[in-house]
Amino acid sequence: QVQLVESGGQLVQARGSLRLFCAASGGTFSSYGMGWFRQAPGKEREYVASISWSGANTRYGDSVQGRFTISRDNAKNTVYLQMSNLKPEDTAVYYCAQGRGGSAYLTSRQFANWGQGTQVTVSS
């Protein structure tokens, strides 16, 4: 079973940028779609972005469209989330997840494996 480890989360000022990393090990990374979700205190988990196995297809949640970019490097078994123009409402724990197949999925039930999360805090 694949293991996912997120990193890159930190405290950043509003309108700043941050890049998150998700490193995969123990499985066949390149065959599966990947995604990012986030969860703020007291709120439900929210879909952020996803990418197909090849990187050809990407999808984004409405709240991050135009500000965040998801990408992947299959040679490095890593998926990235480039975040720009950050807002205080982006503050959350960000989770990386591996899809059940190769597509860019949208819902959490379509993802099988999850990382432990990395904290992103945006100050105003």
Side-chain angles (χ1 to χ4, degrees):
Q1 182 173 341
V2 68
Q3 292 184 328
L4 303 173
V5 179
E6 303 95 334
S7 62
Q10 64 179 338
L11 173 65
V12 62
Q13 290 188 333
R15 296 177 295 282
S17 298
L18 199 60
R19 194 182 197 194
L20 302 183
F21 303 79
C22 173
S25 62
T28 308
F29 174 80
S30 60
S31 298
Y32 295 92
M34 298 294 295
W36 286 96
F37 289 76
R38 67 186 183 187
Q39 188 166 19
K43 296 187 177 181
E44 293 187 354
R45 185 178 295 177
E46 177 188 9
Y47 166 79
V48 175
S50 56
I51 188 167
S52 61
W53 69 275
S54 65
N57 296 310
T58 58
R59 307 172 83 171
Y60 296 93
D62 291 342
S63 62
V64 306
Q65 180 76 47
R67 299 188 298 121
F68 290 12
T69 302
I70 188 171
S71 61
R72 66 189 297 162
D73 185 337
N74 286 343
K76 296 182 178 180
N77 286 359
T78 301
V79 63
Y80 309 94
L81 185 67
Q82 179 67 47
M83 306 184 292
S84 61
N85 191 21
L86 284 160
K87 305 175 181 180
E89 51 264 42
D90 293 319
T91 295
V93 176
Y94 283 71
Y95 297 92
C96 170
Q98 182 190 50
R100 297 185 184 276
S103 299
Y105 301 108
L106 291 176
T107 63
S108 60
R109 63 180 175 84
Q110 294 172 306
F111 291 84
N113 298 311
W114 295 78
Q116 294 300 307
T118 185
Q119 175 71 48
V120 173
T121 304
V122 183
S123 63
S124 57

